[in-house]
Amino acid sequence: MAEATIRDVARQAAVSVASVSRALNGLANVHPDTRARVLAAAKDLGYVPHAGARSLSLARTHAIGVVLPDLHGEFFSELVRGLDREASARGYHLLLSNMHDKGDHAAQALRTMHGRVDGLVIMAPHIDPAVIAAMLPARLPTVTINTPSGPGGNALRVDNRAGAEAMAHHLVALGRKRIVHIAGPEGNSDAQERLEGFRAALPSDVELQVLPGDFSQASGEQATEALLKAGDAFDAIFAANDMMALGALQALRGAGVAVPQEVAVGGFDDVPLARYLSLTTIRVHMTEIGSRAAARLIDALEVRGAEPLHELITPALIVRATTVTE
Amino acid sequence: MAEATIRDVARQAAVSVASVSRALNGLANVHPDTRARVLAAAKDLGYVPHAGARSLSLARTHAIGVVLPDLHGEFFSELVRGLDREASARGYHLLLSNMHDKGDHAAQALRTMHGRVDGLVIMAPHIDPAVIAAMLPARLPTVTINTPSGPGGNALRVDNRAGAEAMAHHLVALGRKRIVHIAGPEGNSDAQERLEGFRAALPSDVELQVLPGDFSQASGEQATEALLKAGDAFDAIFAANDMMALGALQALRGAGVAVPQEVAVGGFDDVPLARYLSLTTIRVHMTEIGSRAAARLIDALEVRGAEPLHELITPALIVRATTVTE
DNA sequence: GACGCCCATGTAACCGGTTACGTATCCGCT
DNA sequence: AGCGGATACGTAACCGGTTACATGGGCGTC
């Protein structure tokens, strides 16, 4: 026996499908007796409405698509948790889609979202916004997170510049003069903004050296080892994200360099690990960003005339033991 | 203008919808010229097939539902990453649904999965399997992860007992005689199995004291502080998960107790943090479990006659600095 | 030239819901 | 009694695809 459909329920209750639909959805204009019969029949048959069919006729799926890069652990879960919290509170599901490879696969995945979701939350700091726009199914409400974009859509962005500035001021206030920045991947807009904001906030008497990195812990470690080997003097490291900062810490510890006395270290993101390892960093509250993104999207879906909005979220400097002694 | 439908494409290409469908899905029996006209029309109109409608007529959604407890960060992302890796490699999407409150809400969420997904992956170590079975939409292929269940469905389980035994043997081999176990939440089957396995593997000359906990770091810290305050002698702590072990470490460090010299500490899970903090633990490779769960489910969906299978995954003991000195 | 077959294509039913619209019934009113 | 209107309900179209079946044209064969 297959799953019961609304027609089975109608037959069992000896009414029409229309009445079943009305009764089950709590519409008015249904006689109490009829409603009772329908409810009884539905329970009897173990009837569960077919969400797919429902979406088709309502043109409403109550699902939102989430498109993320294959990002590293901590971030991912925090963001998704935030999205899920808001979405499920408002009766929406989350349909996940990681954009691993940038190739056709991603575009393909996006296309298959059409008709499955009511809107999209996209986070893609590593992809050209024009490319994204081209891939999007037309006319699907979208909220972008940390994506460099022209005005037009809904967007949530972390104020990377402000965060980097705060870090710069902090290090400068500590009297550091020869600072090293370990940068993120080249095409990544977060990485670029952090570097630019940092550089712009340093006074002219501070020396800045920039090393390449890729956001991985290993790259932070390698950059730092290379730095130590080169023998240049430096008294602070600001890594473009926490994982690289942790790599740097490891390299420094390995070389017997005292942190923060000889070298202060700062990161960006405030991943959970940072707290445990007492890393000074810039807190980006991903859970909250997730909730806000979902909230904004759902508003756009449900509230008529909700207009596109760009929101810039200012992250906070969190001072810990890698820059100051207790 | 609304989104183009298959009928729009048909009109534009001056063919029937059937031909459009056939051409677009690469079926045989379509004249090359026709196919070309259809493709051109589709591109011209920016046609994207409506996945919802497609699923309805095919009775196939190519989505799998993922139902998780509101678990703590690390776990979550690892598991989902594994699920996603396998699912997207095989052309499936993931529909997330966290079971926050145990109440009606969860059942509700499950019902709305009907018609949205082809199958379910459920992880619910904290819920009575009978309750889950009752909530499930009938006849939806399901893989359970770490869920105490009778035989019948597909199931993946971590061999908690074997892991706990390995930890017991390790601590005993180190000569520890007065061991404290900080347990997980009461109704949680993982927690129970870990305790039972651990207890069963201890020789009779070892003393075991069990303290309550709830898997949170704070509970591990509190339990340990209480223990220290009570003044009982002990030389090892085995916490039912890593987060509590970390809490214990913090409490011990705060009290100036030397780890591992005075007290050895072990956890369970091998969350990323554990590696950083050099915690001896039992590695549960969640990413792999996720991939396997997805693979098994998709097999069940696509391969005829794939029979239900229970798989027990043996976790590995990872020895680090909280139990042995280098 | 007629027959039969194959190939390309169109028509329409179907998946499982929702809902506009039409109709029958019952009520109260004058 | 007859009329108007509200109320409950059924019929059938529709959402956007897929596909069983019917149809018609082209071609080879006897």
Side-chain angles (χ1 to χ4, degrees):
Chain A
M1 129 191 155
E3 290 286 339
T5 74
I6 195 172
R7 293 176 221 267
D8 297 325
V9 177
R11 194 173 316 124
Q12 168 108 354
V15 295
S16 73
V17 293
S19 292
V20 175
S21 178
R22 284 188 282 252
L24 260 33
N25 290 314
L27 297 203
N29 284 358
V30 186
H31 192 91
D33 293 356
T34 306
R35 189 184 303 273
R37 278 220 311 289
V38 168
L39 259 34
K43 173 189 273 194
D44 194 31
L45 296 172
Y47 171 70
V48 178
H50 189 287
R54 195 151 202 272
S55 331
L56 183 57
S57 69
L58 291 179
R60 217 70 203 319
T61 64
H62 279 267
I64 76 188
V66 177
V67 180
L68 302 175
D70 202 6
L71 24 72
H72 303 295
E74 322 264 14
F75 248 64
F76 177 82
S77 71
E78 303 254 325
L79 180 64
V80 174
R81 187 194 319 287
L83 287 165
D84 175 78
R85 178 179 306 158
E86 183 71 17
S88 72
R90 296 178 65 171
Y92 281 72
H93 284 276
L94 253 37
L95 191 66
L96 278 197
S97 186
N98 279 32
M99 284 179 57
H100 323 92
D101 28 61
K102 45 258 154 193
D104 276 352
H105 200 67
Q108 184 59 28
L110 273 188
R111 307 213 102 75
T112 71
M113 289 255 178
H114 172 63
R116 274 177 156 32
V117 300
D118 293 335
L120 244 34
V121 170
I122 298 189
M123 169 156 173
H126 62 313
I127 299 204
D128 184 329
V131 172
I132 294 178
M135 289 195 322
L136 281 183
R139 246 170 309 299
L140 198 54
T142 298
V143 171
T144 59
I145 297 180
N146 277 18
T147 300
S149 64
N154 269 297
L156 248 55
R157 308 204 311 115
V158 169
D159 194 339
N160 287 303
R161 279 197 178 71
E165 277 172 28
M167 181 63 75
H169 293 149
H170 175 57
L171 294 176
V172 168
L174 292 171
R176 308 291 164 153
K177 298 285 186 196
R178 294 152 169 252
I179 305 183
V180 173
H181 176 68
I182 306 180
E186 286 219 17
N188 187 298
S189 62
D190 286 334
Q192 280 174 13
E193 292 171 9
R194 289 170 192 182
L195 169 55
E196 288 166 15
F198 190 67
R199 184 187 318 239
L202 291 179
S204 57
D205 66 333
V206 170
E207 195 178 292
L208 175 65
Q209 179 180 0
V210 177
L211 299 179
D214 64 6
F215 276 168
S216 73
Q217 195 208 345
S219 75
E221 193 168 350
Q222 284 157 19
T224 308
E225 282 166 357
L227 192 61
L228 290 167
K229 195 156 297 173
D232 295 344
F234 62 99
D235 52 18
I237 295 180
F238 169 43
N241 78 344
D242 281 352
M243 293 315 287
M244 294 197 299
L246 296 180
L249 275 181
Q250 206 140 322
L252 293 173
R253 188 181 309 156
V257 176
V259 175
Q261 292 81 359
E262 296 178 61
V263 174
V265 176
F268 206 115
D269 288 346
D270 196 32
V271 298
L273 263 173
R275 190 170 62 250
Y276 281 90
L277 301 180
S278 291
L279 175 68
T280 289
T281 187
I282 304 293
R283 172 171 298 167
V284 176
H285 208 308
M286 289 313 281
T287 309
E288 193 196 331
I289 292 182
S291 309
R292 287 214 217 168
R296 190 176 297 313
L297 180 59
I298 296 174
D299 283 348
L301 293 174
E302 297 187 343
V303 182
R304 51 180 195 72
E307 39 200 82
L309 196 49
H310 284 229
E311 191 173 346
L312 205 55
I313 295 168
T314 304
L317 172 70
I318 308 291
V319 177
R320 299 209 182 89
T322 55
T323 55
V324 301
T325 55
E326 298 204 15
Chain B
M1 127 191 156
E3 291 286 339
T5 73
I6 195 172
R7 292 175 222 269
D8 297 325
V9 177
R11 195 173 315 124
Q12 168 108 355
V15 295
S16 73
V17 293
S19 292
V20 174
S21 179
R22 285 188 282 252
L24 260 34
N25 290 314
L27 297 204
N29 284 357
V30 186
H31 192 91
D33 292 356
T34 306
R35 188 184 304 273
R37 278 219 311 289
V38 168
L39 258 34
K43 172 189 275 193
D44 194 32
L45 295 172
Y47 171 69
V48 178
H50 189 287
R54 195 149 203 273
S55 331
L56 184 56
S57 71
L58 291 179
R60 217 69 203 317
T61 64
H62 278 269
I64 77 188
V66 177
V67 180
L68 302 174
D70 202 6
L71 24 72
H72 303 296
E74 322 264 16
F75 249 65
F76 178 81
S77 70
E78 303 254 325
L79 180 63
V80 174
R81 187 194 320 286
L83 286 165
D84 175 77
R85 177 179 307 158
E86 182 71 17
S88 72
R90 296 178 64 171
Y92 280 72
H93 284 276
L94 254 35
L95 191 65
L96 277 196
S97 185
N98 279 31
M99 286 180 58
H100 323 91
D101 28 60
K102 45 258 154 194
D104 276 352
H105 200 67
Q108 184 61 28
L110 273 187
R111 308 213 102 75
T112 70
M113 288 256 177
H114 173 62
R116 274 178 168 5
V117 299
D118 293 335
L120 244 33
V121 170
I122 298 190
M123 170 155 170
H126 61 313
I127 300 203
D128 184 329
V131 172
I132 294 178
M135 289 194 323
L136 281 184
R139 246 171 309 297
L140 199 54
T142 297
V143 171
T144 60
I145 297 179
N146 278 18
T147 301
S149 63
N154 270 297
L156 248 55
R157 308 203 312 114
V158 169
D159 195 338
N160 287 303
R161 280 196 178 72
E165 275 174 28
M167 181 63 76
H169 293 149
H170 175 58
L171 294 177
V172 168
L174 292 172
R176 308 292 164 153
K177 298 285 187 194
R178 294 153 168 252
I179 306 183
V180 173
H181 176 69
I182 306 180
E186 286 219 16
N188 188 298
S189 61
D190 285 334
Q192 280 174 13
E193 293 171 8
R194 289 170 192 184
L195 169 55
E196 288 166 16
F198 190 66
R199 185 190 314 246
L202 292 179
S204 56
D205 66 331
V206 171
E207 197 177 290
L208 174 65
Q209 180 179 0
V210 178
L211 299 179
D214 64 5
F215 276 168
S216 74
Q217 194 208 346
S219 75
E221 193 168 351
Q222 284 157 20
T224 308
E225 282 165 356
L227 192 62
L228 290 167
K229 194 156 297 173
D232 295 344
F234 62 99
D235 51 18
I237 295 180
F238 168 44
N241 78 344
D242 282 351
M243 293 315 287
M244 295 197 298
L246 296 179
L249 274 181
Q250 206 141 323
L252 292 173
R253 187 182 309 155
V257 176
V259 175
Q261 292 80 359
E262 295 178 63
V263 173
V265 176
F268 206 116
D269 288 346
D270 196 32
V271 299
L273 263 173
R275 190 170 60 250
Y276 281 89
L277 302 180
S278 292
L279 175 68
T280 288
T281 188
I282 304 293
R283 172 170 298 167
V284 176
H285 208 308
M286 288 313 279
T287 309
E288 193 195 330
I289 292 181
S291 309
R292 286 214 218 169
R296 190 176 295 315
L297 180 59
I298 296 173
D299 282 348
L301 293 174
E302 297 187 343
V303 181
R304 52 182 193 73
E307 39 201 81
L309 196 49
H310 283 230
E311 191 173 347
L312 205 55
I313 295 167
T314 305
L317 171 69
I318 307 291
V319 177
R320 300 207 182 91
T322 55
T323 55
V324 302
T325 55
E326 300 201 15

